[in-house]
Amino acid sequence: MRRSFGFLLAAILIAIVGVLSAASWYMLDYSLMSSMRHSHQLEPRLAEMRRGYPQIRPWVDSLQDAGALRDTFVLMPTGERHHAVYVRVAQPSNKVAVLIHGYKDNCMGMMHIGYVYSRLGFNLLLPDLHAHGKSEGADIRMGWEDRKDVMRWMAVADSLFRDSTATSRMMVHGISMGAATAMCISGEELPPYVRGFVEDCGYTSVWEEFRGEMRARFGLPAFPLLHAASVLCKLRFGWSFQEASPLRQVGRCKLPMLFIHGDADTYVPFSMLEPLYEAKPGIKERYVASKSAHALSYRDHPREYAGRVAAFVRKCGIP
């Protein structure tokens, strides 16, 4: 009798582990390896940006006519080729903005922000994150492992745009997952050419973002699926949801940071702004975009958004 009960208990445990493992694998595939609508389609994405932001059309048209949207590739330590687009301003300048796109987007999704910086006399570098755009890779890294790749791109940007004194002055600006990437970078030891960061609607951690999405989309609690998926992510991709923490990295940031968030954002909840802002030591500012949903602060308030960015850039010592 006891032996039969033991076998039954073991079978139940094995079944639970099997179901949980399968569900965790599915969750990772769904969130980190799912098909991307914008994916590798740079030209259609640029056309969408032209339609959605009419003010950038003349600028984009002039860049295309002049062949000023230039491609560049670098080989990452993993052996994968990553892609970026860069733009030189007409008048020589050592100012450069590195602009980081969001989840399931590509570099062309940051052209509206490129327009903001181009009007301030900045050169631009817009990387495609791992497994996005023309960059190789299979898995989305949610900004955590991406921080290493973008820091490589920051060094490339410095080499492209430094002046005769071998110096450049750099801003790093990201939206959504790109904002999380920027915040993750901000906690690292950085070269002197980096002057400041702008994060627009970034999340506190991958754990908190996924927990909120599980509850909102599927009505599921974090335990036990999120815990199991985090462990599986560590085994498959080398990082866990808990360690991927922009909040922790922001607490180590020594450079100025501007925090932007729409107060109608539910995808990356507006409530995440406060802990991020409070965690940041030193020079910081925040701009709450009234009635703006996720990643739409510039669309809804273009003049104020651009003005806030311009004023913050000056505060970072870049006239």
Side-chain angles (χ1 to χ4, degrees):
M1 184 70 177
R2 289 182 179 177
R3 180 177 296 180
S4 299
F5 179 77
F7 283 138
L8 178 61
L9 182 61
I12 291 172
L13 290 175
I14 291 171
I16 291 172
V17 170
V19 170
L20 190 57
S21 297
S24 300
W25 196 279
Y26 175 80
M27 179 183 172
L28 288 191
D29 282 353
Y30 178 85
S31 58
L32 302 184
M33 301 186 74
S34 56
S35 61
M36 292 171 280
R37 182 167 61 89
H38 298 307
S39 175
H40 307 293
Q41 303 174 15
L42 268 59
E43 287 298 324
R45 183 60 172 140
L46 183 57
E48 288 181 5
M49 296 303 292
R50 289 180 76 261
R51 290 192 298 270
Y53 297 88
Q55 67 270 36
I56 79 171
R57 290 177 191 170
W59 175 66
V60 169
D61 291 344
S62 68
L63 293 178
Q64 291 182 307
D65 291 343
L69 287 169
R70 307 297 298 273
D71 295 296
T72 185
F73 292 85
V74 296
L75 194 65
M76 293 297 173
T78 58
E80 295 164 322
R81 291 175 79 239
H82 279 204
H83 168 261
V85 166
Y86 68 92
V87 178
R88 290 187 184 274
V89 289
Q91 298 299 321
S93 170
N94 73 346
K95 299 190 292 186
V96 55
V98 175
L99 308 178
I100 315 171
H101 67 77
Y103 181 72
K104 299 185 182 180
D105 203 346
N106 63 50
C107 62
M108 292 294 98
M110 290 297 289
M111 286 298 287
H112 57 317
I113 306 302
Y115 175 71
V116 172
Y117 281 93
S118 72
R119 299 187 74 189
L120 300 175
F122 276 73
N123 302 289
L124 311 173
L125 188 136
L126 300 84
D128 281 326
L129 297 179
H130 187 262
H132 293 75
K134 294 183 180 180
S135 289
E136 294 179 343
D139 54 301
I140 302 170
R141 295 175 168 180
M142 299 303 297
W144 180 241
E145 292 297 299
D146 294 311
R147 77 192 192 283
K148 303 171 186 176
D149 298 336
V150 176
M151 288 176 71
R152 177 76 180 272
W153 279 119
M154 290 159 61
V156 170
D158 174 63
S159 68
L160 284 170
F161 302 118
R162 63 178 58 171
D163 61 16
S164 58
T165 65
T167 58
S168 67
R169 296 172 292 172
M170 183 180 297
M171 295 294 299
V172 180
H173 187 136
I175 292 180
S176 190
M177 189 177 79
T181 306
M183 289 188 284
C184 289
I185 292 167
S186 77
E188 302 294 320
E189 288 296 322
L190 297 169
Y193 52 76
V194 185
R195 300 298 180 87
F197 294 88
V198 180
E199 77 85 17
D200 181 342
C201 64
Y203 38 81
T204 52
S205 69
V206 173
W207 178 273
E208 289 300 324
E209 180 62 17
F210 281 178
R211 182 170 72 168
E213 282 295 289
M214 284 179 62
R215 184 170 55 247
R217 289 175 179 263
F218 306 108
L220 294 173
F223 183 82
L225 179 57
L226 194 61
H227 297 75
S230 181
V231 171
L232 184 58
C233 186
K234 183 71 172 181
L235 294 173
R236 286 181 70 181
F237 304 126
W239 59 276
S240 70
F241 299 163
Q242 293 94 333
E243 70 184 276
S245 174
L247 180 65
R248 183 171 56 248
Q249 291 291 94
V250 161
R252 300 168 178 165
C253 178
K254 301 174 183 177
L255 293 173
M257 183 173 290
L258 171 61
F259 297 82
I260 299 172
H261 219 116
D263 62 12
D265 192 344
T266 57
Y267 186 70
V268 174
F270 175 62
S271 59
M272 288 189 174
L273 172 62
E274 188 65 23
L276 287 167
Y277 185 80
E278 290 302 319
K280 168 70 174 76
I283 299 172
K284 57 186 175 182
E285 291 186 3
R286 61 180 157 188
Y287 164 46
V288 175
S290 177
K291 300 180 181 179
S292 290
H294 185 65
L296 297 178
S297 296
Y298 177 70
R299 188 201 68 177
D300 296 341
H301 310 279
R303 289 187 179 180
E304 186 170 7
Y305 191 110
R308 295 278 187 143
V309 169
F312 185 73
V313 165
R314 291 192 294 270
K315 181 168 281 191
C316 293
I318 309 179

